[in-house]
Amino acid sequence: MQIASGDVQLVCPWHKASFSAETGRLIEPPALDPLARYPVEIHDGRVLVGKVAIKRDAPEPKQADQTVALIGAGAAAIAAAVTLREEGYAGRILLIGPEKELPYDRTALSKMTLGNPDPGATPPALRPEAWYREQRIERVIDRVVKLDVETRKLTLESGSELNPDHVLLATGAGARSIDIPGVELSGVHTLRSAEDARAIIATVSENTSVVVIGAGFIGMEAAAALRKRGAGVTVLSKSELPFQAQLGRDVGVEMRSLHESKGVAFVPFCSAKAIKGAERVESVTLDDGSEIKADLVLIGIGAQPVVDYLPGHLVSENGGVEVDDAMRVAPQIYAAGDIASVLHDGERYRIEHWRTAQSQACIAARAMLGLTPGTLSTPWFWTQQYDRKIEHLGWPRKFAQVNIDGDPKRFDFTARYLAEDGKIVGIAAAGRPKEMCEAAVTFDDA
């Protein structure tokens, strides 16, 4: 329990959702619901708690004659829909996305789904099917192919057109591919959707040789998950260590050692030059001419914003869409998640983290209703690989020095990242949930 800006907060040690200790209201995602409140009385020194939760007062209905279109059906869009209804929005909500299955937790694909021994494993749904009916959320299984910024007219792939009063751009990002020969072969995958995960799981066994191209978070989480399934895994990395740019050398050394102790072959300072095979992948050729046998290749070299439906002038240099403090792109048009380019300390950033996407969506939803939008919290993310978890809090800024308290070898540490002027610009930790709970509420590098 921490105090920040006058609020006594309860902070979840796992995902850093925070709540008001007094009212139970949700302060920060990734939780979507407030905490229930129960009546409490003290009699003769005994604390008596009622069994029935205190009913919350419903807000006054707002904008019943309007329509909000949420383009995208991921974490940001669902957070926006929840916030709109929580704040009293009574109009139509259209949730537009191409996937037929219920919106799901995309972060679970590499952290949980890919390593699940159940062949029918699916990522957890963000909301049960009944919720969409109860909250009058209209799911539109389609893809937006064009947005007219002046009129807010949406053109769908099916040919339908919509003219909502408010629009949230929350289309996220798609997996980057790699421009080398053989990338089109069967057995070459990226990991960005439940369909991708199912396709990989269907062909992986203890006899499968997997080559992962890229040593970022998706690539290394996938490597850990595939080793759990018994596959032989080789990771190709352009750098010496995984996560060195984000977490520093000491943490990078231990992360590489962790994977190697689990049987992953880590090949540094290399690039894939070609993928070979007749119809299906058989090997990967490196830039030094050597070849590695492969039954399956997973490309994990990052993601790129899905903005192909937007006019070119709206797309910024970093590939996203510039927003103001209310996540506004243009009048009645907002953006959240991977495509949102936010201004912080004079620099524009795109933050590709689940919690930040939800926070941005909540801000946008409140702005649509004419309420005080709130402010964006410091980005936080976590990675789970095998039984080890590392959390990071901070904007993606360069650091000049890393001060570590604890022992990275035991994954019990706090690392503080300092800029050249000595200012702390980020914190990473393992095995210290209480410390990271405190930091999630009090950290401020502005």
Side-chain angles (χ1 to χ4, degrees):
M1 185 165 61
Q2 300 298 321
I3 298 177
S5 303
D7 277 313
V8 177
Q9 296 188 37
L10 301 175
V11 184
C12 167
W14 189 255
H15 288 124
K16 302 304 175 286
S18 65
F19 308 85
S20 167
E22 180 180 358
T23 66
R25 72 180 178 88
L26 176 65
I27 297 174
E28 280 293 335
L32 294 172
D33 301 305
L35 297 178
R37 295 173 63 216
Y38 294 86
V40 177
E41 295 180 3
I42 299 177
H43 289 286
D44 298 327
R46 294 187 302 163
V47 179
L48 305 180
V49 181
K51 294 182 179 180
V52 180
I54 299 171
K55 187 176 181 180
R56 296 179 180 275
D57 295 330
E60 287 292 323
K62 304 177 182 68
Q63 300 171 208
D65 59 342
Q66 295 190 5
T67 298
V68 172
L70 308 174
I71 307 178
I78 298 302
V82 170
T83 303
L84 287 167
R85 291 301 189 220
E86 284 284 331
E87 297 290 357
Y89 174 71
R92 293 180 71 193
I93 297 178
L94 306 178
L95 182 67
I96 307 171
E99 293 184 89
K100 292 183 180 180
E101 53 202 304
L102 290 175
Y104 53 85
D105 176 2
R106 204 170 296 274
T107 67
L109 293 174
S110 56
K111 291 180 172 70
M112 297 165 51
T113 309
L114 205 60
N116 193 321
D118 180 358
T122 57
L126 293 172
R127 277 296 200 238
E129 188 170 6
W131 178 82
Y132 296 90
R133 295 191 299 271
E134 295 164 358
Q135 297 298 321
R136 297 180 293 113
I137 311 296
E138 302 174 43
R139 293 186 62 213
V140 180
I141 313 301
D142 209 333
R143 189 187 306 273
V144 175
V145 295
K146 184 179 179 181
L147 166 66
D148 186 312
V149 177
E150 298 299 323
T151 64
R152 297 188 301 283
K153 183 173 75 173
L154 303 175
T155 303
L156 306 185
E157 195 170 47
S158 63
S160 301
E161 294 182 347
L162 300 169
N163 274 100
D165 299 281
H166 307 275
V167 176
L168 177 67
L169 313 178
T171 41
R176 291 185 185 274
S177 188
I178 187 170
D179 186 17
I180 59 175
V183 74
E184 74 288 345
L185 288 172
S186 176
V188 178
H189 300 269
T190 55
L191 181 60
R192 196 66 186 183
S193 69
E195 184 178 0
D196 293 336
R198 285 192 291 266
I200 294 169
I201 290 171
T203 58
V204 172
S205 71
E206 293 182 356
N207 299 317
T208 305
S209 296
V210 179
V211 170
V212 176
I213 301 175
F217 289 100
I218 293 295
M220 298 307 287
E221 287 177 358
L226 292 168
R227 280 299 296 142
K228 287 182 181 179
R229 302 187 78 88
V233 179
T234 299
V235 174
L236 308 182
S237 174
K238 290 186 176 181
S239 60
E240 178 189 5
L241 302 168
F243 322 124
Q244 185 170 353
Q246 299 92 345
L247 302 177
R249 181 173 181 81
D250 290 335
V251 177
V253 165
E254 298 312 320
M255 291 303 293
R256 175 174 168 175
S257 295
L258 171 65
H259 278 270
E260 290 178 332
S261 73
K262 301 294 184 179
V264 172
F266 191 91
V267 185
F269 304 123
C270 73
S271 298
K273 183 179 179 181
I275 301 172
K276 292 185 177 181
E279 295 181 357
R280 184 175 180 83
V281 58
E282 298 174 6
S283 66
V284 177
T285 303
L286 306 188
D287 49 6
D288 64 0
S290 61
E291 287 195 8
I292 299 175
K293 180 183 179 296
D295 303 307
L296 185 146
V297 172
L298 176 61
I299 301 172
I301 58 172
Q304 55 189 7
V306 177
V307 292
D308 54 349
Y309 61 98
L310 299 176
H313 72 270
L314 217 58
V315 181
S316 63
E317 290 184 1
N318 65 11
V321 180
E322 293 188 1
V323 297
D324 63 14
D325 290 344
M327 309 309 296
R328 188 180 294 105
V329 177
Q332 282 76 58
I333 299 178
Y334 304 80
D338 295 356
I339 73 170
S341 177
V342 298
L343 185 65
H344 173 76
D345 205 19
E347 298 288 337
R348 286 276 175 186
Y349 298 95
R350 282 195 312 102
I351 307 299
E352 297 179 349
H353 304 328
W354 180 33
R355 183 174 184 257
T356 297
Q358 291 178 301
S359 296
Q360 292 171 342
C362 294
I363 290 170
R366 286 190 285 264
M368 291 178 191
L369 301 179
L371 304 174
T372 302
T375 57
L376 187 62
S377 59
T378 302
W380 171 90
F381 73 89
W382 62 286
T383 182
Q384 179 82 28
Q385 297 172 41
Y386 308 104
D387 59 348
R388 303 298 190 181
K389 177 184 178 183
I390 294 180
E391 306 175 63
H392 182 274
L393 183 72
W395 294 84
R397 295 172 56 177
K398 291 183 179 180
F399 52 87
Q401 181 181 344
V402 184
N403 291 343
I404 297 180
D405 172 44
D407 185 1
K409 292 182 181 297
R410 296 174 53 239
F411 283 83
D412 176 17
F413 69 88
T414 301
R416 292 176 176 82
Y417 301 88
L418 283 65
E420 290 186 355
D421 61 1
K423 185 178 185 180
I424 297 176
V425 295
I427 298 174
R432 301 190 175 188
K434 182 178 179 181
E435 190 169 338
M436 286 302 286
C437 281
E438 295 175 356
V441 172
T442 62
F443 182 84
D444 182 9
D445 70 348

